[in-house]
Amino acid sequence: MSASTQLLSNGPRREVSAAEERLGPMRLTQEPIQVLLVFAKEDSQSDAFWWACERAGFRCNIARTPESAVECFLDKHHEIVIIDGRHSRYFEADAVCRMIRATKPSEHTVISAVMPQIPSDQEEPSVLPLLSAGFSRRYLENSSVSACYNELIQLEHGEVRAQFKLRACNSVFTALEHCQEAVEISSEDHVIQYVNPAFEKMMGYHRGELIGKELTELPKSDKNSADLLDTINTCIKKGKEWQGIYFSRRKSGDSIQQYVRITPVIGQGGKIRHFVSIKRPYSDNHRQVHKLSKEEKSCGEHSQSECNSLRHKDRRKESVDVRSISSHSSDAPSLQNRRYSSMARIHSMTIEAPITKVINIINAAQESSPVTVAEALDRVLEILRTTELYSPQLASKEDDPHTNDLVGGLMSDGLRRLSGNEYVFSKSALHNMSQSQLAVPVPLNDIPSSIAELLNEEECWEFNILELEAATHKRPLSYLGMKIFSAFGVCEFLNCTEATMRSWLQVIEANYHASNSYHNSTHAADVLHATAYFLRKDRVKGSLDQLDEVAALLAATVHDVDHPGRTNSFLCNAGSDLAILYNDTAVLESHHAALAFQLTVRDSKCNIFKNMERTQFRTLRQAIIDMVLATEMTRHFEHVNKFVNSINKPMSAIEETSSSSEGSDCEGQASIRNSPENRLLIKRMLIKCADVANPCRPLELCIEWAGRISEEYFAQTDEEKRQGLPVVMPVFDRNTCSIPKSQISFIDYFITDMFDAWDAFASLPGLMENLAENYKYWKNLDEMKCKSLRPPPSQ
């Protein structure tokens, strides 16, 4: 056997790249490379790839079906997968690719499609469909062993090697994330690219505050010698490593002495591409080794050995604290001085957010605290820096699937994955009403006696909205709206006629979907009733002015207009027009608010705002929008916690400390309630509680509403399965769902704390009694293993 033949049979020798050398002893490749061939039938093409693998020294498996392909891939984790895309009668190559890409091990796998040769008289087809399916590249049918061999070798030296490097990088960054030393990586222009958690902890910054910033923008310590930065700059610009003692300034403002090692990283073209700074606090046992104040003259003026004598280990963020490390143009110094002056002015401004001040205070307190206290404060800082300050974390996904599904379905905007399935609203809501639907309803004085008798009870919490629904032929909102608006003087405040208000209510009600089992005009009327009930409570009434009351009533009326009976998560997953319009954020709530004003102003006959003064209208409009958006559940805990901390707790403290002086008690509480910020919180809490007050209704109403919302969720799950969309709330499967469990989870997670806070403010003993009784009812059903709304009939 000749030397050349032997080389081919064992596969080509790979040259080790500079990037691989820098990774030191870490091995990038898994020898030999594994290849999976997915061919339904054996033919010359599959044989050619098999022999090409033999020649390259690769291990090869063959799968004949999509299922066996996935099974084999999950077992072997192949680096290369070749799928036959020439014959769709056996399987769809795109579908096989997607099945493999859906597995976690495929993240670093190269998948190639074998496609038929293109006749010379046909146009070259686009590869975009293949890329969309998850393929990495295309191979045009060629049963030459040499052609297949060349393809495999190119894959190995190109995509496969790149994937090996990515795997290695993931491991390296994992090590950095857990490293005890602070690490900072900056670009050749000294723009921060990365800091690890140890760096964040040492310096008090969150990485989001640092990534993308130039080192010149960060505050400097005045404890360094005047020429130290020039010394560092001169050394590292020559591609030499610098080590020494350096003072950095923490976010809290105090200076920290550190050992710092700055290593230039040489990249493409032999140029410096990054600087890696490793830092650790300078402790007393190192001080006898280092006296660097005068010894740190220009590293460039010393030999390499002299430069090395100055090196010691240290670490932190200000490593290359570069004000004079810029090397741009000849006028860089003057530009840089101006920039530094501007940054100094910015840092002197008092523009810190309250949370920033809190974090700075805690950072300062850590300096003089015992270790145990400092560690506890570290945990406090971790919590304060999270973006989900107000969202409780569930212990585990398995603990309560009903709660997890409710949280996932109501408090997220889905998977943000667009698909070919488009969920479109009924028609354009602005054009879906016939003239017959808009006939002006009768005045209050001419309401049929049966409806009038029901409306006489509207001030009671026990008011039966379902009876009104039946009596009005599913048009309860118009009738109840006129009654409540009259009681609160809404027409007088808006300076509009009763006929205009009746037309407006009719238009709004016509844009609720009667086909929805839950989100229809009866739900809107129910929320309007609860809103009016809350507005009549003494403490609420004493906290809000008439504009607030009118805004609350109008917001309740429109808060779910044109609701499609599907959640925000569904619309985002389905790639609906509205989800795209509102960037997957508060999609429905934004639509409800926007459509309400569109419907109102499009026709003078129903424009209840047409006679308002502009400034007052703007204020009212903003209040309505804010309340409608508050019904969106992703910020549920934020609204509740702000209400508790800004209103409940301060008022409770006043009650406890001023029980002997009644006057000051009332005045202090009134000042808390009546501030603009807290009135905003009260209005948000009011409509949130009105929106989900079903568990606080009398038992029969509570049961009916539970059935309606469950049916709507069942219908959504059915449609998600039909359309192949992610199932947002799997427990709401009509064949397996336990309605009692879902109600228990909803009450436990969303209702109890919110209504405890609202009751403490508004005093609602009747509602809290209903809530306790209803909860007990659902608990009893659950203990009986009953999954339906009512217990089975006794035998």
Side-chain angles (χ1 to χ4, degrees):
M1 180 182 290
S2 68
S4 59
T5 306
Q6 187 176 9
L7 179 64
L8 287 176
S9 65
N10 292 328
R13 291 179 61 87
R14 294 198 312 108
E15 292 184 1
V16 179
S17 69
E20 290 168 308
E21 285 180 347
R22 281 197 298 276
L23 287 166
M26 185 168 183
R27 187 179 183 185
L28 290 184
T29 59
Q30 293 177 316
E31 300 290 358
I33 287 173
Q34 300 195 80
V35 179
L36 173 62
L37 305 180
V38 186
F39 285 76
K41 298 289 184 182
E42 182 178 347
D43 61 9
S44 60
Q45 184 64 77
S46 64
D47 288 344
F49 270 113
W50 174 271
W51 290 111
C53 288
E54 284 286 306
R55 180 187 293 185
F58 298 169
R59 288 179 182 168
C60 184
N61 300 102
I62 297 182
R64 300 299 185 197
T65 66
E67 293 74 20
S68 62
V70 174
E71 183 179 354
C72 185
F73 177 78
L74 288 174
D75 181 45
K76 302 291 186 182
H77 296 183
H78 305 81
E79 283 77 38
I80 300 173
V81 178
I82 310 289
I83 301 175
D84 186 8
R86 298 168 297 163
H87 311 295
S88 60
R89 64 179 178 273
Y90 299 118
F91 54 70
E92 292 289 341
D94 290 4
V96 179
C97 183
R98 288 193 177 95
M99 290 170 66
I100 294 175
R101 283 295 183 210
T103 65
K104 187 167 182 61
S106 72
E107 180 182 2
H108 297 296
T109 298
V110 178
I111 305 181
S112 182
V114 178
M115 304 302 291
Q117 285 285 349
I118 304 153
S120 58
D121 60 341
Q122 288 186 14
E123 188 176 349
E124 174 87 7
S126 171
V127 297
L128 287 177
L130 293 175
L131 296 176
S132 298
F135 287 101
S136 308
R137 60 187 287 143
R138 177 190 67 179
Y139 176 83
L140 292 181
E141 183 177 10
N142 187 337
S143 56
S144 163
V145 174
S146 294
C148 294
Y149 173 83
N150 289 337
E151 175 70 3
L152 292 174
I153 297 305
Q154 289 180 81
L155 286 175
E156 182 202 11
H157 282 255
E159 284 94 332
V160 173
R161 188 179 294 184
Q163 294 300 332
F164 282 142
K165 291 176 184 176
L166 286 175
R167 289 186 198 176
C169 287
N170 287 342
S171 302
V172 171
F173 275 103
T174 300
L176 287 174
E177 289 291 288
H178 294 87
C179 178
Q180 297 299 308
E181 292 183 313
V183 178
E184 173 196 78
I185 300 175
S186 59
S187 69
E188 68 266 40
D189 295 321
H190 308 293
V191 175
I192 299 173
Q193 307 289 304
Y194 169 84
V195 295
N196 68 347
F199 184 98
E200 293 175 286
K201 183 176 179 181
M202 178 185 286
M203 301 308 299
Y205 287 92
H206 183 271
R207 68 178 59 181
E209 300 171 291
L210 298 174
I211 303 299
K213 283 195 173 184
E214 292 185 14
L215 290 169
T216 53
E217 296 180 39
L218 301 177
K220 311 297 183 293
S221 173
D222 54 5
K223 295 186 178 182
N224 293 306
S225 59
D227 60 348
L228 179 56
L229 287 177
D230 290 334
T231 300
I232 297 171
N233 186 38
T234 301
C235 185
I236 63 177
K237 279 204 317 186
K238 293 180 178 180
K240 298 176 181 179
E241 182 178 270
W242 182 90
Q243 292 187 52
I245 297 173
Y246 185 86
F247 284 91
S248 296
R249 177 170 291 180
R250 287 178 169 148
K251 184 176 179 180
S252 58
D254 58 317
S255 293
I256 177 173
Q257 193 175 19
Q258 303 168 324
Y259 275 117
V260 179
R261 173 192 286 174
I262 305 171
T263 304
V265 179
I266 309 300
Q268 186 178 8
K271 294 183 178 180
I272 296 173
R273 299 299 181 182
H274 292 90
F275 296 100
V276 176
S277 302
I278 302 174
K279 312 177 183 184
R280 66 170 182 265
Y282 174 68
S283 55
D284 288 336
N285 61 337
H286 293 108
R287 288 180 184 167
Q288 53 193 347
V289 183
H290 271 293
K291 296 178 182 177
L292 295 175
S293 50
K294 298 261 184 178
E295 296 172 32
E296 286 175 333
K297 297 188 177 176
S298 170
C299 189
E301 296 173 6
H302 294 277
S303 66
Q304 182 63 41
S305 60
E306 289 173 313
C307 191
N308 286 340
S309 71
L310 294 177
R311 293 179 182 171
H312 294 288
K313 295 181 180 178
D314 179 9
R315 155 229 149 154
R316 209 270 12 168
K317 129 191 183 92
E318 272 289 21
S319 70
V320 210
D321 188 355
V322 258
R323 227 175 343 136
S324 55
I325 297 191
S326 258
S327 52
H328 299 299
S329 61
S330 58
D331 63 341
S334 60
L335 289 173
Q336 199 143 12
N337 289 337
R338 279 207 302 276
R339 180 186 182 110
Y340 183 72
S341 174
S342 298
M343 290 306 302
R345 288 199 300 274
I346 289 173
H347 284 297
S348 70
M349 294 179 185
T350 55
I351 55 174
E352 284 186 314
I355 189 66
T356 310
K357 294 179 181 178
V358 170
I359 291 173
N360 287 343
I361 292 170
I362 294 174
N363 279 327
Q366 279 184 303
E367 296 303 312
S368 57
S369 299
V371 174
T372 54
V373 175
E375 289 176 351
L377 290 175
D378 274 339
R379 177 62 185 142
V380 171
L381 289 172
E382 278 182 39
I383 295 170
L384 289 176
R385 289 190 181 108
T386 180
T387 58
E388 300 295 335
L389 283 177
Y390 296 96
S391 296
Q393 296 176 339
L394 300 182
S396 112
K397 276 291 235 193
E398 291 76 25
D399 285 352
D400 184 354
H402 290 80
T403 300
N404 278 291
D405 282 5
L406 283 167
V407 173
L410 299 178
M411 295 191 65
S412 73
D413 289 321
L415 304 179
R416 275 126 174 109
R417 186 195 74 186
L418 299 184
S419 72
N421 303 299
E422 289 274 327
Y423 190 84
V424 184
F425 281 48
S426 52
K427 291 281 180 188
S428 173
L430 292 173
H431 304 288
N432 68 352
M433 298 168 292
S434 66
Q435 287 301 314
S436 61
Q437 287 178 296
L438 292 178
V440 178
V442 296
L444 274 175
N445 295 336
D446 298 329
I447 289 176
S449 59
S450 59
I451 297 176
E453 287 178 16
L454 292 174
L455 291 175
N456 286 337
E457 304 298 319
E458 64 87 11
E459 292 190 20
C460 302
W461 182 250
E462 293 73 20
F463 174 70
N464 194 323
I465 194 68
L466 302 180
E467 291 181 357
L468 184 65
E469 176 190 60
T472 59
H473 305 289
K474 295 190 175 181
R475 294 174 60 204
L477 184 58
S478 296
Y479 289 94
L480 181 64
M482 286 304 301
K483 181 72 188 307
I484 289 176
F485 290 174
S486 175
F488 280 85
V490 175
C491 288
E492 290 80 1
F493 179 83
L494 297 175
N495 191 24
C496 73
T497 64
E498 185 179 311
T500 302
M501 180 58 74
R502 290 199 304 271
S503 296
W504 181 78
L505 282 166
Q506 186 99 3
V507 168
I508 296 298
E509 184 156 37
N511 278 275
Y512 276 92
H513 297 197
S515 57
N516 291 343
S517 58
Y518 183 87
H519 287 100
N520 49 41
S521 70
T522 305
H523 167 65
D526 185 59
V527 175
L528 174 61
H529 171 262
T531 299
Y533 183 84
F534 294 152
L535 288 173
R536 290 180 171 118
K537 306 305 288 185
D538 289 342
R539 188 173 275 177
V540 178
K541 193 172 185 178
S543 304
L544 306 177
D545 58 25
Q546 191 177 12
L547 186 145
D548 294 323
E549 292 179 351
V550 171
L553 295 170
L554 296 179
T557 304
V558 305
H559 84 281
D560 271 334
V561 65
D562 198 38
H563 197 294
R566 301 291 182 265
T567 63
N568 277 333
S569 297
F570 177 96
L571 297 180
C572 294
N573 288 334
S576 74
D577 290 341
L578 283 180
I580 295 171
L581 176 64
Y582 293 112
N583 300 313
D584 289 353
T585 304
V587 174
L588 284 171
E589 293 72 24
S590 299
H591 175 61
H592 302 323
L595 180 64
F597 283 95
Q598 288 174 333
L599 292 169
T600 303
V601 302
R602 75 185 184 105
D603 188 344
S604 178
K605 292 179 181 178
C606 63
N607 188 351
I608 56 176
F609 305 127
K610 61 185 175 183
N611 295 325
M612 290 190 72
E613 187 269 326
R614 179 180 293 276
T615 302
Q616 189 179 47
F617 167 69
R618 295 289 299 174
T619 304
L620 179 66
R621 169 175 156 79
Q622 193 56 53
I624 293 170
I625 293 171
D626 184 83
M627 293 183 75
V628 173
L629 293 180
T631 63
E632 198 251 335
M633 294 299 284
T634 60
R635 296 180 63 192
H636 170 82
F637 294 101
E638 177 183 346
H639 293 318
V640 173
N641 279 288
K642 283 181 177 179
F643 184 85
V644 169
N645 290 307
S646 299
I647 296 175
N648 284 142
K649 289 182 179 179
M651 290 182 66
S652 176
I654 290 175
E655 288 177 358
E656 291 175 3
T657 58
S658 57
S659 55
S660 58
S661 53
E662 297 178 6
S664 60
D665 177 21
C666 294
E667 291 172 8
Q669 291 193 351
S671 66
I672 292 172
R673 298 194 313 263
N674 297 334
S675 72
E677 297 83 2
N678 287 347
R679 279 165 47 208
L680 188 67
L681 298 180
I682 292 169
K683 287 184 288 183
R684 289 173 180 171
M685 192 72 160
L686 185 153
I687 196 167
K688 282 181 60 62
C689 289
D691 189 28
V692 292
N694 306 331
C696 300
R697 292 290 187 183
L699 180 60
E700 285 304 311
L701 291 174
C702 173
I703 293 172
E704 176 64 23
W705 284 120
R708 292 187 177 199
I709 191 62
S710 297
E711 175 54 39
E712 199 163 284
Y713 288 159
F714 293 158
Q716 174 169 310
T717 299
D718 292 342
E719 185 168 356
E720 286 167 335
K721 291 179 179 178
R722 283 196 307 272
Q723 293 196 24
L725 295 171
V727 178
V728 175
M729 296 182 284
V731 297
F732 282 99
D733 184 314
R734 64 176 70 253
N735 298 315
T736 58
C737 180
S738 167
I739 295 177
K741 281 186 184 296
S742 70
Q743 288 297 303
I744 291 167
S745 296
F746 184 65
I747 293 171
D748 281 339
Y749 198 75
F750 291 106
I751 298 299
T752 301
D753 289 345
M754 181 169 71
F755 271 90
D756 279 341
W758 187 234
D759 171 53
F761 177 77
S763 183
L764 305 162
L767 277 71
M768 303 309 290
E769 289 173 13
N770 288 346
L771 179 59
E773 287 300 315
N774 296 339
Y775 187 78
K776 183 179 178 182
Y777 173 83
W778 298 121
K779 273 288 192 183
N780 289 338
L781 286 185
D782 186 43
E783 290 168 3
M784 295 166 58
K785 308 298 183 186
C786 176
K787 294 185 175 182
S788 58
L789 290 167
R790 301 179 188 277
S794 56
Q795 301 296 328

